[in-house]
Amino acid sequence: MKIKAAIVRELNKPLAIEEIELAPPKANEVLVKTAYTGFCHSDLSMIRGIFKMPLPLVLGHEAAGVVEDVGPGVASVTKGDHVVATWMVACGHCPECRKGKGHICRTSFIPHSVGGLLDMTSRLTDSKGARLNHQTNVSGFAEYMVVPEAATIKIRKDLPLDQACFIGCCLPTGFGAVYNAAGVKPGDSVAIWGMGGVGLNAVRGAMLRGGNPIIGVDLEGSKEAIAREFGATHFINNSKEDPVPIIKELTGGGADYCFEAIGDPGAILQAYWSLGMGSTLITIGIPDEQPLTGLPLFYNPLHCKSVKGTLYGDIETGRDIPALADMAARGDFKLDKLITRRFKIEEINDVVEAMKKRQIIGRWVCAWI
Amino acid sequence: MTTAKGAVLPKASNMGWEVQELEWDEPRDDEVGVRVVACGLCHSDWHCANGEFPIEKFPMLSGHEGTGIIEKVGKDVKRVKVGDKIVMSWIPSCGHCPSCVSGHGELCDRFATGLKGSRDDGTYRIRDKEGREVGQAAFLGALSEYVVIHEDACIPVDQDLDLLKIPIVGCRIPTGWGAVVNNAKATQGCTALVVGLGGVGFNVIQGLKSVGAVVIIAADIHDKKKWAMEWGATHYIDASKQDVVNEVMKITGIGVDYAFDAIGKGEVQSQCVEACHKMGKAVWIGIAPFSQKTVALNAWVVSQFQKHISGSCYGGASPFEMVPQLIKMYRAGKIKFDELITKYYKLEQINEACADMVAGKIICGCIRMDQ
């Protein structure tokens, strides 16, 4: 079928909006009519080549929609089901999966790296018949998606799909960093760098978990109101003030947990210096591949500090996405407040520019319906 | 269709097993045919025979601790090929249910049909001479010359291993060792009690040695002192004559950090809770009779001394994680497998093997299929 999609053809160039061909789902694959797709900072990193993906790439990994058709053997969803497309398909049998760490399933990274679905082939071709690559099973900036069944997670129908798309990435990534990777307990002090889609969900997670204080940090003062709306008790504009002494003062010596939700070396350093003794820095944001050597690791043993990475909030998609949808439907995450603009696919390059300039407050979603 | 001899329980009784010729379906697309090399006989097999284990389907082919060589593969099988040596897992962990994704393949939802010994869809792979469907104990039925099992029950192992020596790693080694490492999470320098010195109990001792326990008190009603001390116990209690809790208090002064029930009797479960020091952990491994619904506990000390009680099944972690790890340790000489098997039997000697086990004459008995 012919569909409209946004494609990265060359790094650091505007995305191409093209009419492309989507092949029907094979066995154990699902055709989904895309409803909404969130624009994530990782999408920008892929356009910039910081996050390396095989080109040409149909962009997008945070999408929700409605099942249109299913391939042979599909049992878990049927036409009309509301689904979240997930970019992680845990195989269930590799060493990571056996330990309950399906979020870093080693098998799943192989199709990611070649831009195919689970059998490594693509369902996407351009008007000249050339292969286009999938972005991590999803390729959500497209009118329709063909997604592996295991990446098509059925959710309740009363959760609006513009909110549901966030359960594909920024919600579990931020919330899970707090709940799973850190294990924040009531009363723990928390500071979070980057008040974007992921950071705001980390703020919300800390609020739901009973963290106190919850300090939001961002280079843009314009993000203070939304940070407070999501549960930040304090906000620091780190383009104007050094957050380290302020956080040490607010927390009585340093935060129990610092979260870095940008992937910025400077923010990672600030977050490390803001840790209290025996505390942990959780890095969520994906920096470029250059090693960061400025961390004062002298204090790591001396003050028992830790640095820990987390991917996808350490969730297991099949188990956790429906549960997150239940919480979202109850209003726990204020996802309606996270959506600050609905855009058409033709406007996506304006969205890219706005993100480069740090002008996006909340999350902007591409509306297909 | 493949015909093979196997040890069948016609019903729950004290009559034991009958060795019968059975007819096996060909493997389905996701199944394999396995030439069995050896299979351990475990107390759980006896519990299935005597009715303490709530088996839902008779006749049943016993055996859940087997090794073998892949002889046939269905067309969708990916994880093993013909000729591969395997240890069988008695839970074919699916990899995708809530337990599996939490790293607990040992509690996989597939066990739903485990007591019937059928496939997931309720069908059976075996017929006896009268044409009756026969269940496979724990999806395996490895007390047999040949089995058809799901691909997900196969744990491939190194081709140079002697399959006659390692079947116990299919159940009792991870069950005992894992109870210490995964359920108790016992640590260097700890003190511990283990009650019940069968195959599981000796592997609790091996686990305690792995973590660096300093006091290992072993207790049994049979005279197993010599074995216990050889395997690494520091103290022995003759539970047929002495009060276990009193003896533990005499040895430790305050109780142990961890106490392991490797029997499955309410009285022993209760002793394990009593024998723990403050914040101590009683780990219940032994499978109590299904009819036992209560355990008498001194509830006051449980709350006031913050005691913990933990169940333990198959060592508290996925067998697909633990079995390869244990085999690496075996090869490195850090854990003993061979010495666990103190006697080999022929399939026809199955009832004799069981009698020796119940009488406490052996550590582990093993049925070899090549004789």
Side-chain angles (χ1 to χ4, degrees):
Chain A
M1 67 192 296
K2 296 219 178 324
I3 60 165
K4 214 189 300 182
I7 303 165
V8 186
R9 286 202 171 270
E10 278 185 82
L11 297 181
N12 296 304
K13 292 280 164 58
L15 296 169
I17 312 300
E18 297 178 18
E19 189 174 75
I20 64 169
E21 183 67 27
L22 177 66
K26 291 188 184 177
N28 303 310
E29 293 175 359
V30 179
L31 176 66
V32 179
K33 185 175 188 337
T34 314
Y36 292 92
T37 314
F39 192 84
C40 170
H41 198 275
S42 290
D43 294 316
L44 177 58
S45 294
M46 289 175 199
I47 294 168
R48 286 172 158 166
I50 290 169
F51 197 144
K52 292 180 181 60
M53 298 298 281
L55 303 186
L57 180 78
V58 177
L59 198 66
H61 61 273
E62 188 177 84
V66 181
V67 173
E68 181 78 16
D69 195 9
V70 297
V74 170
S76 60
V77 291
T78 55
K79 184 175 163 65
D81 282 345
H82 287 198
V83 295
V84 170
T86 167
W87 48 265
M88 178 52 79
V89 180
C91 75
H93 302 289
C94 72
E96 289 72 34
C97 284
R98 295 191 305 239
K99 291 178 190 153
K101 295 181 179 177
H103 57 282
I104 46 171
C105 167
R106 67 175 63 176
T107 316
S108 71
F109 291 128
I110 302 166
H112 284 189
S113 66
V114 300
L117 295 186
L118 299 183
D119 68 354
M120 311 296 160
T121 65
S122 174
R123 307 291 162 269
L124 302 161
T125 44
D126 67 12
S127 60
K128 297 188 179 108
R131 168 174 165 144
L132 298 169
N133 290 310
H134 291 262
Q135 191 205 306
T136 58
N137 309 313
V138 179
S139 286
F141 286 116
E143 269 181 283
Y144 286 84
M145 306 175 279
V146 169
V147 184
E149 179 184 10
T152 314
I153 314 291
K154 183 177 167 179
I155 56 160
R156 55 197 291 159
K157 283 192 175 169
D158 61 352
L159 178 68
L161 286 164
D162 54 0
Q163 299 181 31
C165 70
F166 301 133
I167 306 177
C169 186
C170 67
L171 166 55
T173 300
F175 174 80
V178 171
Y179 263 63
N180 300 326
V184 169
K185 296 191 304 300
D188 285 346
S189 54
V190 171
I192 298 154
W193 276 253
M195 294 293 100
V198 171
L200 289 170
N201 276 297
V203 166
R204 193 72 197 152
M207 197 284 252
L208 291 167
R209 198 76 187 95
N212 188 60
I214 301 168
I215 305 159
V217 185
D218 201 287
L219 289 169
E220 298 294 330
S222 59
K223 298 189 182 173
E224 176 167 358
I226 195 166
R228 289 189 183 274
E229 166 88 44
F230 274 69
T233 58
H234 301 77
F235 179 86
I236 303 170
N237 177 345
N238 60 342
S239 66
K240 299 244 165 63
E241 292 179 290
D242 180 355
V244 177
I246 302 172
I247 291 169
K248 295 230 168 195
E249 176 69 27
L250 286 171
T251 57
D256 294 318
Y257 294 98
C258 290
F259 297 87
E260 203 278 351
I262 306 158
D264 178 73
I268 291 170
L269 269 178
Q270 282 186 344
Y272 188 90
W273 280 111
S274 303
L275 288 172
M277 291 180 49
S279 299
T280 305
L281 163 61
I282 308 281
T283 68
I284 315 169
I286 302 169
D288 68 27
E289 290 178 22
Q290 294 304 312
L292 174 68
T293 55
L295 282 178
L297 293 178
F298 172 79
Y299 294 103
N300 229 45
L302 214 62
H303 291 175
C304 290
K305 292 179 176 176
S306 309
V307 180
K308 182 178 183 184
T310 174
L311 183 69
Y312 219 157
D314 296 14
I315 66 159
E316 200 292 313
T317 53
R319 180 190 62 198
D320 295 338
I321 285 177
L324 290 169
D326 288 345
M327 293 175 73
R330 201 168 64 181
D332 286 359
F333 301 118
K334 292 197 175 187
L335 294 178
D336 54 331
K337 298 279 176 26
L338 193 62
I339 307 164
T340 43
R341 182 179 161 192
R342 292 172 180 78
F343 65 88
K344 291 287 165 199
I345 192 64
E346 289 77 10
E347 301 171 296
I348 193 167
N349 287 307
D350 301 338
V351 177
V352 174
E353 290 309 308
M355 182 166 276
K356 284 182 188 169
K357 291 175 190 155
R358 304 197 298 267
Q359 287 172 344
I360 296 180
I361 294 168
R363 199 75 150 182
W364 292 359
V365 296
C366 181
W368 299 93
I369 53 175
Chain B
M1 192 104 69
T2 300
T3 304
K5 274 191 301 183
V8 174
L9 284 175
K11 58 183 176 178
S13 73
N14 290 325
M15 301 300 290
W17 286 266
E18 290 175 11
V19 176
Q20 299 178 358
E21 293 273 336
L22 301 170
E23 295 201 326
W24 292 81
D25 288 352
E26 288 303 299
R28 286 188 182 173
D29 293 348
D30 53 3
E31 294 176 349
V32 297
V34 184
R35 187 56 51 186
V36 180
V37 172
C39 181
L41 185 74
C42 162
H43 257 277
S44 296
D45 297 309
W46 170 235
H47 293 314
C48 293
N50 70 12
E52 289 184 1
F53 209 94
I55 290 298
E56 293 169 7
K57 166 77 179 174
F58 289 99
M60 188 188 73
L61 175 62
S62 287
H64 63 273
E65 199 175 63
T67 56
I69 298 170
I70 303 287
E71 194 168 277
K72 297 176 183 175
V73 293
K75 75 174 173 57
D76 294 337
V77 169
K78 293 186 186 72
R79 289 156 67 195
V80 286
K81 57 183 189 305
V82 171
D84 280 357
K85 290 184 174 178
I86 63 157
V87 168
M88 298 175 205
S89 165
W90 56 254
I91 176 77
S93 309
C94 73
H96 302 287
C97 70
S99 298
C100 282
V101 300
S102 307
H104 288 283
E106 79 281 11
L107 299 174
C108 177
D109 285 353
R110 266 223 178 109
F111 203 79
T113 61
L115 297 174
K116 291 199 298 181
S118 70
R119 293 189 181 95
D120 294 347
D121 65 6
T123 61
Y124 290 89
R125 302 184 179 101
I126 321 173
R127 309 282 177 282
D128 67 10
K129 272 199 179 137
E130 282 81 49
R132 286 178 300 186
E133 291 171 331
V134 178
Q136 288 168 267
F139 311 93
L140 299 175
L143 282 165
S144 173
E145 298 168 322
Y146 171 85
V147 290
V148 175
I149 59 177
H150 196 281
E151 171 190 19
D152 291 347
C154 299
I155 306 173
V157 299
D158 304 331
Q159 284 295 96
D160 62 339
L161 284 171
D162 181 352
L163 294 183
L164 276 175
K165 292 186 175 169
I166 66 169
I168 313 302
V169 80
C171 180
R172 279 170 285 185
I173 297 172
T175 297
W177 188 86
V180 177
V181 174
N182 299 315
N183 296 108
K185 296 187 168 66
T187 49
Q188 183 79 30
C190 69
T191 60
L193 165 71
V194 52
V195 184
L197 294 178
V200 170
F202 282 102
N203 283 296
V204 169
I205 293 177
Q206 295 216 79
L208 288 166
K209 285 177 70 184
S210 288
V211 301
V214 292
V215 173
I216 301 174
I217 307 168
D220 201 289
I221 55 168
H222 300 294
D223 180 17
K224 294 190 175 173
K225 182 170 183 179
K226 183 167 170 290
W227 272 335
M229 303 313 270
E230 278 171 15
W231 279 78
T234 57
H235 302 77
Y236 185 82
I237 300 171
D238 178 354
S240 69
K241 297 197 181 80
Q242 296 170 294
D243 180 277
V244 172
V245 176
N246 275 348
E247 294 304 310
V248 167
M249 294 303 164
K250 276 190 216 161
I251 294 163
T252 60
I254 54 172
V256 288
D257 298 320
Y258 306 100
F260 299 87
D261 160 40
I263 299 280
K265 278 196 164 64
E267 180 194 334
V268 177
Q269 290 165 331
S270 181
Q271 279 172 350
C272 285
V273 176
E274 289 280 319
C276 284
H277 178 44
K278 292 172 188 171
M279 302 277 284
K281 197 166 190 177
V283 179
W284 294 352
I285 313 167
I287 303 170
F290 194 66
S291 57
Q292 180 203 308
K293 300 297 183 196
T294 56
V295 178
L297 286 178
N298 183 340
W300 192 89
V301 301
V302 173
S303 66
Q304 294 311 295
F305 291 170
Q306 289 185 199
K307 295 194 180 191
H308 301 250
I309 300 172
S310 168
S312 177
C313 172
Y314 216 159
S318 166
F320 294 84
E321 177 63 20
M322 233 189 313
V323 171
Q325 188 182 24
L326 286 163
I327 288 176
K328 279 186 199 154
M329 292 177 68
Y330 165 62
R331 301 195 70 134
K334 291 177 186 295
I335 188 166
K336 293 196 275 192
F337 284 17
D338 303 1
E339 297 83 350
L340 283 168
I341 301 174
T342 48
K343 193 168 178 186
Y344 283 92
Y345 303 85
K346 295 180 198 175
L347 187 57
E348 286 75 11
Q349 294 172 296
I350 176 84
N351 291 306
E352 180 191 331
C354 186
D356 285 351
M357 174 176 70
V358 174
K361 291 182 186 167
I362 52 177
I363 298 180
C364 295
C366 177
I367 309 294
R368 54 191 300 168
M369 303 301 166
D370 59 346
Q371 290 181 343

